Amino acid sequence: MYALVDCNNFYASCERVFQPQLIGKPIVILSNNDGCVISRSYEAKDLGIPMGAPEFKIRQELKQKSIHVFSSNYALYGDLSNRVMKILEGFTPNVEVYSIDEAFLKFDGMNIHDYHDYGLQMKRRVQKWLSIPICVGFAETKALSKVANKIAKKYQERTQGVYIIDSEEKRIKALKWTKIEDVWGIGFRLTKKMKDKNIHTAYDFTLPHNENFIKTTMGVVGLRLKYELEGQSVLEMEEPKDKKNIAVTRSFDGNITTLSEMTERVSTFATVCAEKLRKQKSCCYGVIVYLRKDKYKVETQRYNFYKMETLPFASNSSITISGLAVKMLKGMFEEGEIYKKAGVIVTQIIPENQKQFHLFEEENPKHLKLMQVMDDYYKKTGERKIRLGNQDLQRTWKMKQNHLSRKYTTDFKQIFEVQCQ
């Protein structure tokens, strides 16, 4: 048996953990640089706030409807997500973190007599320990557990936030209820193709006469999904994998027109890429620098620019990767042009213990100890105070975050304070 655990309106729920006065109030969370709505509480949905709406277009509507607006607080959301996953590991050791607010659980070898009660135990524990509401869907396959979770979330009063597909009758009823666009793995383009073939529900998707069309359109992935919806478990729990590419890209809060300012940004992005490499015990050979001009102020149609170079040896040193990124930047940057975004991507990643050493050209061994000091300090304090010489010590991402809440659990300076009398 599988379960799909999903946190309800996760970003909004995280904001309510330390601001309980917002419970029952409409909340929206904005994307990077306070651009678009990326999360809404149920109350905000009921007021008609659309997902993805640009903040500047609905600013007056948000004020008129007294909707609480927050900038994305990824430090807080990430920490609370880790805490939720740790709690779930107390119910089964087989936990696959699917996204920041979702996880698959597998219960093979466990003697559970009442899955509904077990799901309620999960809900109560997460609610009591973290004040974050969750819904749980149980089924024989991962795809069906996603369907069960949608039913649990849609009809919370009837299901208590826990639903189990444990019979053929329930499976068929659930599939007929599920629209094809709500099926796991069916996106906008596939939805259009499916509807053109009169496949409007998940049940239609499983009908035998549609199998050839699904195989032609989606290949093996589609057939696996069909088998999963029929109750045949073919998708196993996935182990965490190291990333094949690591990217750090950011839109700027203003325009950048000078090489010195862009150098500081690119160097910072490169050092964070190197830090992520070290965290997963990997090295890279390839480094890509990405620049984006203001597309409304360029004379030509091209406004995105990429350049890639290969290191002579695999590295995860901030000094080495940043040095190559800045070198490429100098060959790409055009003085006087207006740039809105930049980024660094590291690729051709290999495990750290598979790094090959070279006889005539090799990295300075002092980098290793220096990187360890930088990583230890960051892990201890959560601040990147030790930086390279071309980085600004007073500057972080400098994103537009006019509605940012405190980082209650990840920054001692912003820790929650309780006044006792």
Side-chain angles (χ1 to χ4, degrees):
M1 185 71 82
Y2 290 88
L4 189 278
V5 177
D6 184 17
C7 301
N8 301 345
N9 302 316
F10 182 61
Y11 289 176
S13 296
C14 288
E15 297 293 349
R16 286 170 168 164
V17 170
F18 296 98
Q19 301 180 75
Q21 72 273 15
L22 297 178
I23 295 174
K25 303 290 179 62
I27 296 173
V28 298
I29 312 297
L30 303 178
S31 61
N32 289 342
N33 289 308
D34 292 346
C36 304
V37 174
I38 59 171
S39 181
R40 305 162 295 167
S41 65
Y42 290 124
E43 296 80 9
K45 293 177 185 178
D46 292 340
L47 290 174
I49 302 300
M51 181 68 85
E55 186 271 341
F56 74 93
K57 286 188 176 181
I58 61 171
R59 190 172 296 159
Q60 291 303 317
E61 183 180 1
L62 294 173
K63 290 181 179 178
Q64 290 170 2
K65 295 180 177 179
S66 300
I67 296 174
H68 298 268
V69 181
F70 291 93
S71 304
S72 295
N73 189 342
Y74 296 121
L76 177 65
Y77 307 155
D79 182 65
L80 291 179
S81 172
N82 290 334
R83 295 176 187 231
V84 171
M85 302 309 166
K86 288 294 183 184
I87 292 174
L88 296 179
E89 288 174 1
F91 291 91
T92 174
N94 298 317
V95 176
E96 176 194 328
V97 179
Y98 183 65
S99 67
I100 193 169
D101 63 343
E102 288 181 283
F104 286 106
L105 282 65
K106 191 175 183 181
F107 303 96
D108 282 7
M110 299 179 64
N111 189 18
I112 301 173
H113 298 289
D114 188 341
Y115 280 101
H116 189 270
D117 180 68
Y118 206 61
L120 290 177
Q121 290 181 43
M122 293 183 199
K123 279 181 59 68
R124 285 193 289 265
R125 188 175 299 179
V126 175
Q127 181 70 43
K128 184 176 181 179
W129 291 9
L130 290 179
S131 299
I132 291 179
I134 65 171
C135 284
V136 187
F138 290 95
E140 292 291 339
T141 72
K142 291 173 75 173
L144 283 175
S145 70
K146 290 276 286 187
V147 175
N149 184 275
K150 285 184 179 294
I151 295 172
K153 185 174 287 188
K154 179 72 174 179
Y155 303 105
Q156 290 191 51
E157 290 186 6
R158 194 184 311 173
T159 65
Q160 297 179 284
V162 179
Y163 188 74
I164 309 162
I165 299 177
D166 55 359
S167 68
E168 188 66 6
E169 182 184 357
K170 281 186 175 181
R171 183 186 71 84
I172 293 174
K173 186 177 180 180
L175 294 186
K176 288 182 176 180
W177 173 82
T178 305
K179 297 178 181 178
I180 189 63
E181 57 264 34
D182 293 332
V183 174
W184 185 29
I186 304 293
F188 173 77
R189 292 182 180 178
L190 281 175
T191 296
K192 190 175 184 301
K193 291 180 180 180
M194 296 294 165
K195 289 184 175 180
D196 288 341
K197 280 287 184 178
N198 289 321
I199 302 175
H200 297 283
T201 66
Y203 180 73
D204 297 335
F205 188 84
T206 62
L207 294 177
H209 67 269
N210 288 320
E211 184 166 327
N212 286 334
F213 169 72
I214 292 169
K215 184 177 180 180
T216 303
T217 307
M218 298 178 66
V220 176
V221 174
L223 290 179
R224 287 176 178 170
L225 178 58
K226 179 178 181 295
Y227 299 150
E228 284 267 321
L229 293 174
E230 290 173 342
Q232 303 176 50
S233 181
V234 295
L235 298 177
E236 294 297 327
M237 300 285 279
E238 295 183 4
E239 296 291 331
K241 297 179 180 178
D242 291 338
K243 295 180 179 179
K244 296 181 179 179
N245 298 298
I246 295 175
V248 178
T249 63
R250 291 292 185 275
S251 297
F252 306 130
D253 59 327
N255 297 328
I256 287 186
T257 57
T258 64
L259 177 60
S260 60
E261 194 172 7
M262 184 65 82
T263 297
E264 194 279 333
R265 293 288 79 198
V266 168
S267 179
T268 297
F269 299 158
T271 57
V272 176
C273 281
E275 179 184 290
K276 292 183 177 182
L277 280 172
R278 296 192 296 272
K279 187 175 182 179
Q280 70 173 35
K281 299 187 183 303
S282 299
C283 295
C284 77
Y285 277 105
V287 180
I288 301 171
V289 173
Y290 160 68
L291 299 179
R292 181 175 183 177
K293 295 181 180 178
D294 187 336
K295 64 180 180 180
Y296 300 107
K297 297 181 180 179
V298 292
E299 296 180 357
T300 62
Q301 291 185 340
R302 186 183 178 194
Y303 53 87
N304 288 316
F305 299 86
Y306 293 87
K307 188 173 183 179
M308 176 179 175
E309 285 195 19
T310 303
L311 291 162
F313 43 77
S315 175
N316 57 20
S317 165
S318 297
I319 298 172
T320 301
I321 295 173
S322 174
L324 180 58
V326 170
K327 176 186 172 184
M328 286 190 284
L329 170 66
K330 291 178 179 178
M332 300 169 61
F333 191 84
E334 298 177 44
E335 289 283 357
E337 293 290 332
I338 299 174
Y339 292 90
K340 300 293 291 184
K341 187 176 183 179
V344 174
I345 305 165
V346 293
T347 185
Q348 299 177 30
I349 295 174
I350 64 169
E352 194 176 48
N353 58 10
Q354 294 180 15
K355 178 179 178 180
Q356 294 184 350
F357 293 92
H358 298 257
L359 183 60
F360 299 107
E361 191 171 13
E362 189 52 68
E363 195 166 65
N364 189 330
K366 293 181 179 179
H367 287 196
L368 179 61
K369 289 187 176 181
L370 180 57
M371 296 303 110
Q372 287 177 344
V373 172
M374 292 174 68
D375 293 341
D376 288 345
Y377 184 85
Y378 175 61
K379 186 176 180 180
K380 183 178 181 180
T381 66
E383 298 181 351
R384 295 185 176 94
K385 290 293 186 181
I386 305 176
R387 305 188 187 186
L388 304 185
N390 55 10
Q391 292 181 261
D392 186 345
L393 293 174
Q394 304 303 318
R395 189 175 185 183
T396 54
W397 295 121
K398 191 81 175 182
M399 284 195 299
K400 180 182 177 183
Q401 294 178 306
N402 294 333
H403 311 281
L404 186 65
S405 57
R406 295 164 68 180
K407 300 176 184 177
Y408 299 99
T409 63
T410 60
D411 189 339
F412 275 111
K413 296 178 182 177
Q414 300 183 34
I415 197 168
F416 192 72
E417 297 177 2
V418 178
Q419 185 176 358
C420 299
Q421 296 181 347

